[in-house]
């Protein structure tokens, strides 16, 4: 197909594509024409380092995944009403990564579809209707999921919380209801869930499930404190409800130490339903729900058949198997740990130099850098964060922000990311933060040019790690020991910030 000029592509998109479907960097969007590994390329051949695409899990266009797709597509693709080895082989392989009781699969096409099915399973099994969910949570774009996603219903275009939804505080120990200096902070956050369940029951409501991302993504790359999931799951089951782990964004080894994030948070916490998507197919639209035989049997006992036209087709299952092969053969879980720790060490060193870095948190290659105006008050640096990601984009590094105030830099790119790529991020972020902090302190942030002027050797039009400067840059040279800032943050436990639904 003949390539269109970028401006024509943009105009056609504006005319024919829904206006609610947003572009990255809308002031000057990027036209991406190809990708490989952790790099994406625009129509001019410029290489961008992709720090945000957690869908291309094992790397953009990985040859093993492409081969599995094309070979199976050339042979057969059909629905799951026929027997096929790919489906059962993949189901066996996938369930082997989970606790033994999680042994029954449903294959679907997106994370949203997986979470919607999880709601049905929970409601059918328990006979109850209500859900307990985290504030700022996001679980998908279907109507059923908008209803339970505070990230959507409490923001622009949302209709607010519905009576069957019970919100509980995010277990955020940096800026949440209970802070890092509170003893047994995990248990305190878990008690908030118990309070919500007890309040709902006193009002005659019946809880079907507690649904949460194992690590909250859109809410700001939140890592729950130790003991939180174990205690929450105990309270939920005591109420006759089930526990759903949304692993759509954080599963498949991204946390490094474990295949699933809930395992990394608490080895004793086992959900009743797990949903997965995004990285499962490395860009191919597929997802899954895995549950217990008891829940699956209750769902089947209704007499209503569950059929999904494309879920579990031979091509999707071949792709899923190839993704798991690559994760294992290329030690991508080990790489997530090595590179993730390297990045977090680098960000914390930058935090000794830059007051704007308030917190660095993460597991494996799931990392958040919380930007603040003041380290003591932890006021979110929202405007500054937007300048940072635009500056980094002009340096050919793709970052994004998340969190309620859009002030958290998120890094969860392809798992083939290297320490050389990490250095490229750290070097450039150091320079960008210096620029933005100077503009902010001089009250000239709004006067910064729309696009940064960068030196000719900041980027390359071809592959390979690129740094600002003319020679190779080592981590030790960049991040030698610096005196720590004393942020003086000895706050007592934070006062309650909201009146949570269901807490009397």
């Amino acid at each position: 197909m003949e390539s269109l000029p970028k401006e024509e592509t943009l105009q056609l998109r504006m005319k024919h594509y829904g206006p609610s479907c947003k572009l990255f960097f809308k002031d000057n969007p990027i036209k991406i024409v190809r990708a490989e590994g952790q790099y994406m390329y625009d129509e001019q051949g410029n290489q961008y380092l992709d720090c945000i695409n957690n869908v291309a899990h094992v790397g953009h266009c990985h040859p093993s995944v492409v081969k599995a797709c094309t070979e199976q597509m050339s042979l057969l693709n059909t629905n799951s009403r026929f027997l096929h080895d790919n489906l059962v082989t993949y189901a066996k392989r996938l369930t082997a990564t989970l606790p033994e009781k999680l042994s029954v699969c449903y294959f679907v096409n997106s994370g949203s579809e997986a979470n919607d099915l999880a709601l049905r399973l929970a409601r059918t099994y328990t006979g109850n209707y209500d859900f307990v969910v985290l504030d700022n949570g996001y679980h998908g774009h279907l109507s059923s999921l908008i209803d339970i996603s505070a990230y959507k219903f409490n923001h622009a275009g949302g209709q607010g919380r519905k009576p069957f939804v019970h919100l509980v505080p995010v277990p955020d120990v940096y800026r949440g209801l209970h802070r890092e200096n509170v003893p047994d902070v995990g248990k305190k956050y878990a008690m908030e869930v118990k309070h919500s369940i007890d309040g709902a029951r006193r009002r005659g409501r019946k809880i079907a499930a507690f649904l949460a991302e194992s690590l909250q993504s859109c809410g700001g790359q939140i890592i729950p404190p130790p003991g939180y999931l174990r205690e929450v799951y105990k309270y939920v089951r005591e109420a006759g409800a089930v526990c759903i782990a949304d692993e759509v964004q954080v599963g498949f080894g991204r946390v490094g130490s474990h295949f699933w994030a809930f395992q990394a948070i608490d080895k004793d916490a086992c959900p009743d339903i797990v949903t997965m998507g995004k990285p499962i197919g490395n860009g191919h639209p597929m997802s899954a729900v895995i549950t217990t035989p008891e829940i699956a049997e209750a769902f089947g006992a209704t007499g209503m058949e569950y059929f999904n036209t494309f879920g579990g087709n031979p091509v999707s299952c071949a792709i899923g198997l190839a993704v798991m092969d690559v994760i294992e053969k290329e030690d991508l879980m080990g790489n997530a740990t090595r590179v993730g720790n390297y990045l977090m060490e680098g960000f914390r060193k930058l935090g000794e130099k830059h007051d704007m870095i308030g917190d660095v948190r993460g597991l494996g290659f799931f990392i958040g850098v919380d930007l603040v105006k003041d380290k003591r008050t932890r006021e979110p640096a929202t405007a500054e964060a937007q300048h940072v990601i635009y500056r980094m984009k002009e340096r050919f590094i793709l970052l994004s922000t998340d969190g309620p105030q859009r002030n958290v830099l998120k890094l969860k790119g392809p798992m083939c990311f290297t320490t050389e790529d990490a250095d490229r991020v750290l070097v450039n972020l150091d320079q960008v933060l210096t620029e933005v902090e100077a503009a902010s302190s001089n009250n000239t942030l709004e006067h910064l040019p729309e696009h940064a002027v960068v030196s000719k050797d900041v980027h390359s039009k071809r592959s390979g790690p690129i740094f600002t400067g003319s020679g190779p840059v080592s981590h030790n040279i960049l991040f030698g020991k610096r005196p720590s800032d004393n942020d003086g943050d000895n706050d007592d436990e934070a006062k309650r910030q909201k009146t949570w639904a269901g807490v009397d």
Side-chain angles (χ1 to χ4, degrees), residues 117-128 131 208-209 242 244 273:
L117 178 56
L119 303 192
R120 290 180 60 189
L121 291 171
R123 283 171 169 157
T124 300
Y125 179 71
T126 64
N128 301 334
F131 283 85
V242 298
I244 305 173
I273 302 171

Side-chain angles (χ1 to χ4, degrees), residues 366-492:
F366 177 87
I367 300 169
V369 181
D370 200 309
L371 300 185
V372 298
K373 291 179 179 290
D374 184 293
K375 282 191 174 182
R376 184 183 61 82
T377 66
R378 307 183 182 186
E379 180 184 354
T382 300
E384 292 84 350
Q386 305 316 304
H387 280 283
V388 167
I389 63 171
Y390 268 86
R391 284 294 178 278
M392 294 294 279
K393 175 248 190 179
E394 295 301 327
R395 291 166 177 261
F396 299 87
I397 297 172
L398 302 180
L399 287 174
S400 185
T401 58
D402 243 325
Q405 305 301 321
R406 308 294 295 183
N407 69 301
V408 180
L409 303 180
K410 61 179 179 180
L411 291 95
K412 47 185 177 182
M415 298 267 281
C416 51
F417 218 80
T418 67
T419 52
E420 290 78 15
D421 297 321
D423 278 335
R424 180 177 170 186
V425 173
L426 294 164
V427 170
N428 282 279
L429 183 62
D430 185 12
Q431 296 173 352
V432 167
L433 287 175
T434 298
E435 173 192 313
V436 173
E437 285 176 337
S440 181
S441 64
N442 295 328
N443 296 317
T444 59
L445 192 65
E446 68 276 13
H447 300 308
L448 285 175
E450 180 181 1
H451 305 300
V453 177
V454 296
S455 58
K456 63 181 180 181
D457 53 354
V458 167
H459 71 280
S460 167
K461 288 192 174 184
R462 298 299 169 216
S463 62
I466 306 300
F467 311 101
T468 301
S470 57
V473 183
S474 75
H475 185 263
N476 288 341
I477 291 172
L478 290 171
F479 303 106
K481 185 172 178 59
R482 300 186 179 103
S484 298
D485 291 332
N486 181 4
D487 62 15
D489 188 4
N490 293 311
D491 293 345
D492 294 329

Side-chain angles (χ1 to χ4, degrees), residues 230-473:
R230 180 181 66 250
E231 293 295 309
V232 167
Y233 284 6
K234 179 182 71 174
Y235 296 140
V236 169
R237 290 181 174 126
E238 287 173 354
V242 298
C243 305
I244 305 173
D246 180 343
E247 293 268 342
V248 169
Q249 299 212 54
V250 297
F252 289 88
R254 178 158 294 278
V255 298
S257 61
H258 296 76
F259 205 79
W260 303 106
F262 73 83
Q263 296 167 325
I265 295 301
D266 195 327
K267 63 181 179 62
D268 296 321
C270 180
D272 304 295
I273 302 171
V274 179
T275 61
M276 51 196 73
K278 292 189 187 296
I280 189 174
N282 207 55
H284 180 77
M286 57 185 289
S287 60
V289 180
I290 300 183
T291 190
T292 66
E294 294 78 13
I295 292 175
E297 288 166 8
F299 191 57
T302 65
M304 180 182 291
E305 179 190 10
Y306 181 79
F307 173 67
N308 190 297
T309 303
F310 300 108
N313 70 73
V315 171
S316 294
C317 292
I319 289 170
L321 285 165
V323 169
M324 295 185 75
D325 284 341
V326 174
I327 292 171
E328 181 178 341
K329 291 176 181 178
E330 298 185 7
D331 187 28
L332 293 185
M333 290 173 64
N335 192 61
T337 297
R338 290 186 294 272
V339 176
N341 289 345
Y342 186 87
L343 270 167
M344 285 188 281
E345 176 193 356
F347 288 134
R348 289 178 179 126
K349 287 289 186 182
L350 286 180
E352 296 173 5
K353 175 181 178 181
H354 295 285
D355 288 339
M356 193 180 294
I357 294 181
D359 187 42
V360 176
R361 50 186 178 260
L363 285 175
F365 196 21
F366 177 87
I367 300 169
V369 181
D370 200 309
L371 300 185
V372 298
K373 291 179 179 290
D374 184 293
K375 282 191 174 182
R376 184 183 61 82
T377 66
R378 307 183 182 186
E379 180 184 354
T382 300
E384 292 84 350
Q386 305 316 304
H387 280 283
V388 167
I389 63 171
Y390 268 86
R391 284 294 178 278
M392 294 294 279
K393 175 248 190 179
E394 295 301 327
R395 291 166 177 261
F396 299 87
I397 297 172
L398 302 180
L399 287 174
S400 185
T401 58
D402 243 325
Q405 305 301 321
R406 308 294 295 183
N407 69 301
V408 180
L409 303 180
K410 61 179 179 180
L411 291 95
K412 47 185 177 182
M415 298 267 281
C416 51
F417 218 80
T418 67
T419 52
E420 290 78 15
D421 297 321
D423 278 335
R424 180 177 170 186
V425 173
L426 294 164
V427 170
N428 282 279
L429 183 62
D430 185 12
Q431 296 173 352
V432 167
L433 287 175
T434 298
E435 173 192 313
V436 173
E437 285 176 337
S440 181
S441 64
N442 295 328
N443 296 317
T444 59
L445 192 65
E446 68 276 13
H447 300 308
L448 285 175
E450 180 181 1
H451 305 300
V453 177
V454 296
S455 58
K456 63 181 180 181
D457 53 354
V458 167
H459 71 280
S460 167
K461 288 192 174 184
R462 298 299 169 216
S463 62
I466 306 300
F467 311 101
T468 301
S470 57
V473 183

Side-chain angles (χ1 to χ4, degrees), residues 8 42 73 76 78 80 82 88 94 111 166 190 215 226 237 241 243 251 254 274 334 365 368 383 394 409 501 504:
E8 184 177 352
D42 68 15
M73 180 68 82
L76 170 72
T78 187
S80 61
F82 297 97
V88 296
L94 202 53
H166 308 278
L215 310 174
R237 290 181 174 126
C243 305
R254 178 158 294 278
V274 179
F365 196 21
E394 295 301 327
L409 303 180
D504 290 348

